[in-house]
Amino acid sequence: MITIDQLADVCKEAPRDTLQGFIDPLNDVFAEPAWGLQTKARQAMFLAQAAHESAQFTRLEENLKYATVERLRKVFPKYFTSDADALAYVGYPRKIANRVYGGRMGNDPEPSDDGFNYRGRGIFMNTGKDNYRALSRAICGDTDTLLKNPELLADPDYAVLAAAHYWIINKLGPLADRGKFDAVCDLVNIGRITPAQGDSVGFEDRVMFWRRAEAALA
């Protein structure tokens, strides 16, 4: 079990009211053997990754509000190859999502609005129609729940379940048992274990949250 005081010790900068909404969902997945999150070592690593990826449980939906051409092109260089091309999209999150996610990951082409409808949501930012479909089957028991209601992934209950599903299908529990924090970071951020140490984005931030979680759960 995790208490609001313990979660607040991990996510010191987050509003307590926001964190309160995650207590029951977290305790539900921690208690369910199917998710492989029953030990303190595993819970600490899970919380560290979740805290970093979700900005301390305050962000469950991808932020596509790019305000400058420079930033938009830096994040999505493949889809915006010139300043003139990017300029028409700056300040328009729906257009950006449809441009960069349309026609891939199971999404229909740009005009379909699939890119925007199935943009990144949840603690680990599940993205794309194929991912929403597979996740719906895994955590809802049907194909349609998340396809018809993609915004549910920005709800704490579904967001925590989605993160627990990611944890189990990527076999992160055994890595946590062996203290392989860097490998867990790699699989969450990069999608594969790399030879380099600490190359996941925000590695030092993840370490900070891990240490806080270990202390809070001790």
Side-chain angles (χ1 to χ4, degrees), residues 23-214:
I23 295 300
D24 286 344
L26 285 170
N27 280 322
D28 286 345
V29 298
F30 287 172
E32 173 51 59
W35 299 121
L37 284 162
Q38 291 178 288
T39 70
K40 289 182 179 179
R42 294 184 177 196
Q43 291 168 11
M45 284 206 190
F46 177 85
L47 289 172
Q49 303 303 325
H52 173 78
E53 294 289 334
S54 66
Q56 302 186 57
F57 297 94
T58 65
R59 185 185 65 232
L60 297 177
E61 191 167 85
E62 185 177 9
N63 180 8
L64 291 160
K65 297 177 182 178
Y66 295 99
T68 68
V69 165
E70 292 76 18
R71 180 62 179 163
L72 183 57
R73 291 192 63 194
K74 181 177 181 180
V75 176
F76 299 112
K78 178 180 177 180
Y79 299 95
F80 302 99
T81 57
S82 71
D83 286 357
D85 186 26
L87 187 60
Y89 287 80
V90 168
Y92 296 97
R94 182 183 295 272
K95 287 180 63 177
I96 292 171
N98 287 328
R99 175 68 175 272
V100 301
Y101 298 137
R104 64 191 186 98
M105 299 183 291
N107 294 334
D108 288 332
E110 194 170 337
S112 70
D113 226 23
D114 278 358
F116 184 72
N117 290 332
Y118 303 109
R119 63 193 182 277
R121 290 191 185 90
I123 289 172
F124 293 155
M125 291 294 145
N126 304 89
T127 309
K129 198 171 186 177
D130 282 347
N131 286 326
Y132 275 66
R133 181 184 293 109
L135 194 54
S136 189
R137 289 173 181 152
I139 68 175
C140 303
D142 62 65
T143 300
D144 292 338
T145 297
L146 294 182
L147 286 184
K148 291 182 177 179
N149 307 281
E151 71 281 355
L152 285 175
L153 270 184
D155 175 271
D157 288 309
Y158 289 89
V160 171
L161 277 173
H165 177 255
Y166 189 91
W167 175 273
I168 200 72
I169 65 171
N170 285 281
K171 301 181 173 132
L172 299 181
L175 293 172
D177 294 341
R178 303 199 303 274
K180 300 290 187 179
F181 185 71
D182 182 74
V184 172
C185 293
D186 283 351
L187 285 168
V188 170
N189 177 242
I190 302 170
R192 60 185 174 83
I193 297 175
T194 66
Q197 297 293 301
D199 57 338
S200 56
V201 174
F203 181 75
E204 294 303 323
D205 197 47
R206 297 172 198 270
V207 171
M208 176 192 71
F209 287 125
W210 183 31
R211 297 308 182 200
R212 286 183 182 180
E214 285 186 316

